[in-house]
Amino acid sequence: MVPLNVYVNAASVAVGAYVLYFTLKFLLVHRRRSLVKQKHGCLPAPKLYQKDPFLGTDLVLQNRNAGREHRFLDLLKARHDKGGLTYTTDTYFRRTINTCDPDLIRNVLAFQFNDFGMGPLRQRSAAPLLGQGIFTTDHETWSQQRALIRPSFYRARVTNLSIYKKHVDRLIAIIREENCKTDLQPLFVRLTLDTNSEYLFGESVGLLSDQPLKHVTNFYRALNYAGEATIQRLRLGNLMWFHHDREFKRCCAIVHEFAQQFVDKALDFRRRETLVSPDEKDVASGERQKYLFIDELAKATDNPTRLRDHIVNMLLAADTTPGLLSFAFYMLSRNEVLWEKLRNHVLEHYCEPLTYEALMNMTYLRHFIQECLRLFPPIATNSRVAHKDTVLPVGGGPDGKSPLFIAKHNVVTYSTYVMHRRKDLFGEDADEFRPERWEKLLPGWEYLPFNGGPRMCPGQKLAMTETSYTIARILTTFSSIESLDNSEWQEKITLSLKLKNGIQCHLIS
Ligand code: HEM
């Protein structure tokens, strides 16, 4: 029999070797990183004061409370006012570089694109809802998905206004049915889901129809809940493991079940593609021109889960436009002079039926939308994770002008909401809503509502056209608007920014 002390000695040697291995590895990595920092003249970014310097529990709680009290964006702004353009935080073994510096953001999103990605944090927080879709993947998987989506947005399709017309007609009819006193925000959510599902999948989900089917309204509620919970998970960071919410799981299941109808459609298309002769194929593809996105998907894969992930990601991508429309009508319902000026401008260029060319001539409308996107960017905060050790040319030192070393797995979080309100970039009146400023401004990296670099929003033109068309139609249908809610706006952050109290208003014919 082997004496006990032999086992004890063997275990001690193993533990010792393990500790030695990791100590040596740590020292080597530390040494390598010091050399890189020295070579590039890197300086650390200022660190935000944390009561709990190690785990940052105070910051995590602040984030949670501000989220619950609908003032998360103001908290971010206050932190930048105190901490500067770029500062670091350490929460639960995660270092985050928080920035509102356009130069730093440009490097992360464009010049050093390959050094950064969505990373495991976003994947884990969003996976129950979004699976392996375009919003959560990197590298080859992402670029394949991006290539699939690209043809869906070619100019001739985006600028064909007939697709928006029938849904906006229906929206206006509903406003009238409700005696013109209504909350516009949920109507805009239904409108954009109807339009975009028709645009991408060839069939509208019918949320604005006379009697939307029960499973459609369930889907719409589930999508909202699941989007909100996904953001909570993301904010929890490494504490996400403690997020246990049965309702979240139930809502993800409802969304997935709903997407199944489009998966079946894609699989059906794929089956027919392989069965029919080339001549029949020409006829069939002619008939299905409008199904472009799911047709492209179907050609690429027959894996039902992959198909479902793509579809859910696209449904969610389109959920940004209602936020933009809502803030537009928030501003219009609070400012009579603005309504009058924009309405007169639109009427001056309006024609029946409204054409894309006429919309393009409405420059003040474009400036008005640009200003909405500046003050209320639907994607108000965003982040990237470093795939490897890297050096950014700015962000380090007390003034943020020195090179900054970023270690592998560090997170770079940027807020367009804060950046778009910087007085040094947009002038002393940066907090004011003033569309006229766009007569002279040429947007650069300080203005990023649609992001920049290779992952820039591919739906930008679609969103801008749909928004311009909807605003122009409402302005020409109604002569004035009255707000039925005098409170200040409060944020509601699901996967995009909306208003907690919606847009309660009275539209007058
Ligand atoms: C006002 C409306 C919209 C805004 C403000 C907006 C903004 C953005 C932003 C900021 C991103 C970058 C997200 C990230 O990096 O994490 C993005 C990505 C994306 N958007 Fe939009 N978007 C809008 C409408 C749309 C629409 C209508 C569609 C399509 C139906 C769409 C499709 C996408 C897709 C597929 C991506 C992912 C691109 C990629 O990762 O390569 N967006 N959008």
Side-chain angles (χ1 to χ4, degrees), residues 210-497:
D210 277 343
Q211 277 172 337
L213 298 171
K214 195 159 180 287
H215 81 281
V216 181
T217 42
N218 278 348
F219 152 75
Y220 153 64
R221 283 198 205 106
L223 191 68
N224 257 323
Y225 188 93
E228 213 161 333
T230 300
I231 288 295
Q232 278 168 20
R233 288 163 62 80
L234 196 62
R235 278 199 203 136
L236 280 172
N238 288 344
L239 295 180
M240 193 191 316
W241 302 114
F242 297 105
H243 182 261
H244 296 293
D245 179 355
R246 280 215 191 135
E247 186 57 13
F248 173 55
K249 285 191 186 143
R250 198 180 74 87
C251 287
C252 291
I254 294 175
V255 172
H256 292 170
E257 205 176 298
F258 185 82
Q260 191 58 37
Q261 59 182 301
F262 299 115
V263 174
D264 293 343
K265 213 178 250 260
L267 290 173
D268 180 49
F269 172 77
R270 194 180 163 94
R271 240 181 329 264
R272 282 198 282 142
E273 278 280 287
T274 48
L275 286 180
V276 294
S277 67
D279 286 353
E280 286 171 310
K281 216 182 258 182
D282 284 346
V283 176
S285 71
E287 279 171 7
R288 286 179 53 96
Q289 271 301 331
K290 55 185 184 170
Y291 290 170
L292 189 65
F293 174 64
I294 48 171
D295 287 359
E296 290 302 318
L297 266 187
K299 284 181 210 161
T301 176
D302 62 354
N303 179 324
T305 313
R306 288 289 88 78
L307 285 167
R308 188 198 68 199
D309 291 349
H310 284 299
I311 288 163
V312 173
N313 275 256
M314 290 309 277
L315 279 171
L316 261 163
D319 193 37
T320 30
T321 317
L324 171 57
L325 278 165
S326 299
F327 281 106
F329 281 88
Y330 168 78
M331 290 315 304
L332 289 169
S333 65
R334 306 285 171 127
N335 188 334
E336 212 177 307
V337 177
L338 184 67
W339 169 280
E340 277 302 314
K341 181 166 181 184
L342 188 60
R343 185 166 188 270
N344 289 338
H345 174 79
V346 167
L347 282 172
E348 205 178 297
H349 298 279
Y350 197 78
C351 60
E352 196 61 63
L354 186 51
T355 59
Y356 180 72
E357 289 62 38
L359 274 185
M360 285 299 94
N361 286 330
M362 299 177 186
T363 37
Y364 187 64
L365 175 59
R366 191 167 63 249
H367 294 161
F368 168 78
I369 296 172
Q370 278 172 312
E371 188 68 345
C372 292
L373 286 166
R374 183 181 72 83
L375 280 181
F376 313 106
I379 308 287
T381 61
N382 209 333
S383 63
R384 294 291 187 262
V385 177
H387 286 312
K388 56 176 188 168
D389 286 0
T390 186
V391 173
L392 292 171
V394 289
D399 59 358
K401 294 210 160 64
S402 303
L404 175 67
F405 177 79
I406 309 274
K408 185 178 176 178
H409 300 314
N410 279 181
V411 179
V412 178
T413 290
Y414 57 98
S415 169
T416 43
Y417 178 85
V418 178
M419 183 167 75
H420 289 179
R421 288 167 181 250
R422 275 180 54 185
K423 294 199 166 119
D424 56 333
L425 297 177
F426 289 93
E428 276 307 307
D429 63 355
D431 286 328
E432 275 170 43
F433 187 89
R434 205 171 60 79
E436 291 75 12
R437 77 177 74 244
W438 292 100
E439 285 162 15
K440 293 200 187 113
L441 274 181
L442 253 192
W445 280 85
E446 70 285 359
Y447 179 69
L448 280 188
F450 292 100
N451 223 26
R455 289 192 93 137
M456 187 173 171
C457 175
Q460 174 170 355
K461 203 165 193 60
L462 174 67
M464 288 299 278
T465 311
E466 186 174 8
T467 304
S468 311
Y469 180 86
T470 309
I471 296 176
R473 288 286 313 278
I474 296 180
L475 280 169
T476 47
T477 306
F478 299 97
S479 62
S480 60
I481 189 168
E482 240 173 50
S483 173
L484 300 177
D485 168 15
N486 292 324
S487 58
E488 267 297 297
W489 79 281
Q490 280 187 296
E491 73 192 25
K492 177 181 179 199
I493 307 182
T494 56
L495 287 178
S496 62
L497 178 65

Side-chain angles (χ1 to χ4, degrees), residues 52-125:
D52 170 0
F54 186 55
L55 293 175
T57 311
D58 51 325
L59 295 189
V60 175
L61 289 176
Q62 266 177 23
N63 288 352
R64 193 198 59 176
N65 294 342
R68 283 183 180 164
E69 291 159 16
H70 310 281
R71 47 173 191 83
F72 182 70
L73 295 175
D74 284 340
L75 172 70
L76 293 188
K77 196 161 180 296
R79 280 187 188 155
H80 275 290
D81 287 343
K82 229 192 269 167
L85 295 187
T86 304
Y87 62 85
T88 58
T89 47
D90 290 299
T91 51
Y92 287 83
F93 314 110
R94 186 171 65 133
R95 166 147 299 186
T96 304
I97 292 90
N98 305 266
T99 191
C100 60
D101 176 352
D103 286 341
L104 195 153
I105 298 171
R106 180 177 45 199
N107 277 281
V108 170
L109 296 182
F111 297 164
Q112 287 166 251
F113 177 74
N114 290 326
D115 296 352
F116 295 90
M118 299 308 189
L121 191 67
R122 189 189 287 204
Q123 273 154 29
R124 277 202 307 266
S125 60

